[in-house]
Amino acid sequence: MQGKTGTSRVGDVAARMVAGGVLAAGVAAGAAAGEVPDFGPHVHVLDPAMPGLQQRIDDIYAAQQPNHFGPRRDAILLKPGTYEGLRIPVGFYTQVLGLGAHPDDVHVIGDLRSTAFLDNDNATQNFWRGAENFSVTPTLGIGDNTLQWAVSQAIPFRRMHVRGNIRLNQRNGWASGGWFADVLVDGRVDSATQQQWISRNSRWGSWTGSNWNMVFVGVHGAPEGEFPTPGQRFTRIAKTPLVREKPYLFIDPKGGYAVRVPALRRDSVGISWANGATAPGRTLPIDQFHIARPGDTAKTLNAQLAAGRHLLFTPGEYLLAETLQVKRPGTVVLGIGFPTLRSDNGQPLLKTADVSGLTISGLFLDAGQADSGVLMEVAPPGSKKRHKTDPIVLHDLFFRVGGAAAGQVTTALRIHAHDTLVDHTWVWRADHGAGVGWTSNPAAHGLWVNGEDVTIYGLFVEHFQKAQVVWQGNGGRVYFYQSEIPYDPPTQPEWTSATGRGHAAYQVGDSVTRHEAWGLGVYSVFLKPDVVLDRAIEAPRRPGVRFHHMITVCLVDKGSIEHVINDTGEAARCKGSSNTATLKAYP
């Protein structure tokens, strides 16, 4: 059904933006008023009056729903207004973004949907798709005014208003992990078969469902119940200690495009945009950005950064011959539509200086044919500066080793900068697809942290061949961790560490005196017999090193995880005893 124009509420939008301090000198500069910047062919800017609107969206979905490891990327941008009777199915590498200053400036009356990719309603491979900054009334959903969002990893759902209910799986099929941030659901959230989930700074009428690991940070309406009671495996943190919401692209009242960069929030609860508010922050007109398109070289991009411009990456694949260098304080690097960076000549993809206020969001970093040592490095080794008042913030960064093609790297992400914030990341050594195997996509570590006082919300790291996460800096905090250990160790001797059989999924260094983590799930899917992991988590036993709400699960009939943390916690075995083990606190 073709979308129809509804009430634009331009006057209300303008008034809200002025009141919220959004309008700044020069905001409408860049593209002329009402003129769309040249975002390239895979950014689709839509408005309610466009003819054939439904067909445009359906054509994107037809290309992307089967595109598990293909090169195509798309961003669908919705101009402010009301879209009557519009269905928006979302496939791989597709991001749907509202262009209002407030989520309610774009209103879809119809449906937004993620449909299970695998047979039997199985959504455990529903990766790399997202929706941000608009509202949906799901009159054309799955019934009962309910939106179906059947997803697993790398699915940013941010700054959204669901004017009804939302279900996080499809019928009775499995789904495996997900992310809410700055989300309002007027009705019910049904997590159903979701294995794990993290919600940050959100609000809803009610929440139902729990399987392994559900974490709520700064959420209104977090469900009652307490880990590890089956059906009540909830971890509730009352306030989000420190966060800066992800930047978003929007259209100002004069028709100019700009990027809003929210300010830091401390000890926050609930959404940032309640009651029509515009949260504090700064607005960057689009003419302060270099709009990157596939074909841009690293030399071109680095020259733009050196000249003081921000970067807006549009959808597509970027083959880089040298490392992107982000050095200027306050620089914003924002990707829309899952832009994918890759290097095949052994060069890291992105490095930052040890400077304050950097924002790097919405990038997909793919390991290349030659080992670059690291895909992304936040500040150089040995960095000493403190950034407590203006930290480096990373949002929605997704790393992949193998899957689309053979790739390798020693460590995907290294963080040396103190006070860094990470707000949702999936770091994945592929377990299926092309170029996958113990010697085909070798990768030792997903994340290595040397910086002090690094905080991460929503840490997903999977299948690396040694410790998935290594934490050497003091003061680390992690809210939600999900990890499947590698499927494919050929034999136990080939997968043995200095501390015993296998490599821990989460390892805190012996010199660390302060570290705390909440809501950790570690799962085994060993494909070869006689392979086990002795300890899911390894950490020094000190008063300042604390873990809350841990679970291990054995998912196939081979192998086991013998202890939850160090030598504490029961075994998770698929034969002869429970396949699940829980531990409420350590020490």
Side-chain angles (χ1 to χ4, degrees):
M1 185 181 298
Q2 181 178 312
K4 298 178 182 178
T5 305
T7 305
S8 66
R9 306 185 306 280
V10 171
D12 292 342
V13 174
R16 179 164 56 243
M17 294 170 73
V18 172
V22 174
L23 291 181
V27 164
E35 183 179 320
V36 179
D38 183 5
F39 292 127
H42 287 285
V43 175
H44 313 271
V45 182
L46 309 181
D47 69 67
M50 277 187 172
L53 190 60
Q54 186 65 64
Q55 189 62 54
R56 290 171 186 243
I57 290 172
D58 290 347
D59 288 347
I60 295 167
Y61 182 69
Q64 290 290 44
Q65 177 62 357
N67 187 31
H68 195 177
F69 290 110
R72 177 165 171 163
R73 309 286 186 265
D74 286 280
I76 299 171
L77 309 187
L78 302 175
K79 288 185 175 182
T82 300
Y83 296 77
E84 292 273 6
L86 185 65
R87 301 176 187 267
I88 307 179
V90 186
F92 285 105
Y93 312 112
T94 303
Q95 192 173 31
V96 187
L97 305 169
L99 288 174
H102 188 277
D104 286 332
D105 293 340
V106 175
H107 185 194
V108 174
I109 301 175
D111 194 24
L112 173 74
R113 186 176 302 197
S114 177
T115 298
F117 174 65
L118 299 175
D119 293 339
N120 300 316
D121 302 316
N122 187 333
T124 58
Q125 291 183 15
N126 276 43
F127 312 145
W128 309 310
R129 61 196 71 198
E132 300 182 33
N133 195 35
F134 61 100
S135 64
V136 182
T137 299
T139 56
L140 301 176
I142 58 174
D144 191 28
N145 201 32
T146 298
L147 183 161
Q148 174 183 289
W149 191 245
V151 292
S152 290
Q153 289 85 1
I155 45 79
F157 197 86
R158 292 180 178 269
R159 204 175 152 79
M160 292 290 291
H161 184 187
V162 179
R163 303 186 187 195
N165 309 309
I166 186 169
R167 184 179 176 92
L168 304 179
N169 79 325
Q170 181 170 303
R171 289 185 280 268
N172 294 317
W174 281 104
S176 180
W179 168 267
F180 280 168
D182 215 15
V183 168
L184 172 63
V185 179
D186 291 348
R188 180 185 66 254
V189 180
D190 185 358
S191 69
T193 61
Q194 273 290 345
Q195 295 164 344
Q196 62 271 310
W197 195 274
I198 174 170
S199 302
R200 181 186 61 67
N201 287 95
S202 294
R203 182 172 193 147
W204 43 69
S206 64
W207 176 286
T208 180
S210 167
N211 278 300
W212 299 338
N213 183 27
M214 301 288 175
V215 176
F216 309 90
V217 186
V219 168
H220 285 293
E224 297 298 321
E226 184 67 23
F227 189 97
T229 305
Q232 299 179 7
R233 287 178 178 148
F234 303 130
T235 301
R236 296 184 302 274
I237 295 93
K239 296 180 179 180
T240 302
L242 184 67
V243 75
R244 177 149 47 84
E245 299 293 347
K246 183 181 178 182
Y248 55 92
L249 185 67
F250 74 101
I251 299 174
D252 69 56
K254 296 181 181 180
Y257 284 69
V259 172
R260 182 71 172 171
V261 184
L264 281 175
R265 304 174 72 193
R266 297 180 185 274
D267 296 324
S268 58
V269 181
I271 59 176
S272 68
W273 46 273
N275 302 316
T278 298
R282 59 187 174 129
T283 294
L284 304 174
I286 200 68
D287 67 353
Q288 292 185 11
F289 284 79
H290 171 71
I291 299 175
R293 303 169 190 82
D296 279 1
T297 65
K299 183 176 181 179
T300 295
L301 299 172
N302 280 329
Q304 294 290 334
L305 289 166
R309 295 170 74 83
H310 307 282
L311 293 183
L312 178 69
F313 278 91
T314 61
E317 293 189 311
Y318 296 76
L319 186 63
L320 305 179
E322 57 189 82
T323 302
L324 296 182
Q325 302 283 350
V326 184
K327 299 179 179 180
R328 182 174 58 90
T331 298
V332 174
V333 178
L334 174 62
I336 59 174
F338 299 91
T340 301
L341 313 182
R342 181 181 174 95
S343 170
D344 285 330
N345 64 354
Q347 295 297 311
L349 293 171
L350 191 152
K351 291 187 176 183
T352 81
D354 187 19
V355 295
S356 294
L358 300 180
T359 303
I360 302 175
S361 305
L363 298 181
F364 191 119
L365 298 96
D366 218 352
Q369 298 170 2
D371 186 355
S372 59
V374 64
L375 296 180
M376 179 173 172
E377 188 168 67
V378 181
S383 292
K384 302 296 185 184
K385 294 180 181 178
R386 300 306 306 221
H387 308 286
K388 289 181 180 294
T389 60
D390 196 9
I392 296 169
V393 186
L394 315 178
H395 308 90
D396 297 342
L397 296 184
F398 307 128
F399 299 79
R400 183 174 66 189
V401 185
Q408 59 179 313
V409 73
T410 301
T411 303
L413 173 62
R414 288 191 195 129
I415 299 175
H416 303 294
H418 300 328
D419 310 302
T420 298
L421 298 176
V422 181
D423 197 46
H424 189 213
T425 186
W426 185 36
V427 190
W428 186 55
R429 174 180 170 260
D431 60 89
H432 62 276
V436 170
W438 193 251
T439 59
S440 299
N441 61 332
H445 310 289
L447 171 67
W448 191 295
V449 179
N450 289 326
E452 294 186 4
D453 298 311
V454 171
T455 299
I456 302 182
Y457 306 99
L459 177 60
F460 300 73
V461 185
E462 302 193 276
H463 308 309
F464 287 82
Q465 293 169 309
K466 294 187 178 179
Q468 312 291 302
V469 170
V470 178
W471 209 292
Q472 299 286 5
N474 261 317
R477 295 179 295 184
V478 171
Y479 301 86
F480 179 93
Y481 177 63
Q482 186 259 324
S483 180
E484 279 184 345
I485 50 186
Y487 291 2
D488 55 345
T491 65
Q492 191 73 70
E494 292 175 88
W495 197 58
T496 297
S497 68
T499 58
R501 294 174 294 180
H503 293 264
Y506 192 107
Q507 184 180 81
V508 179
D510 289 340
S511 64
V512 173
T513 59
R514 294 181 296 109
H515 187 90
E516 195 160 12
W518 293 260
L520 302 93
V522 178
Y523 318 128
S524 70
V525 187
F526 292 123
L527 300 179
K528 299 290 185 180
D530 304 318
V531 176
V532 303
L533 174 62
D534 278 331
R535 303 168 192 88
I537 304 166
E538 293 180 349
R541 189 179 182 95
R542 294 194 175 97
V545 178
R546 301 189 296 272
F547 288 81
H548 312 271
H549 298 186
M550 296 154 277
I551 185 168
T552 58
V553 184
C554 176
L555 290 172
V556 298
D557 62 353
K558 299 178 178 66
S560 63
I561 301 175
E562 290 297 293
H563 297 286
V564 176
I565 180 168
N566 296 339
D567 294 324
T568 303
E570 300 297 322
R573 297 172 180 158
C574 289
K575 292 183 178 180
S577 64
S578 173
N579 76 319
T580 300
T582 59
L583 189 64
K584 188 167 184 177
Y586 181 91

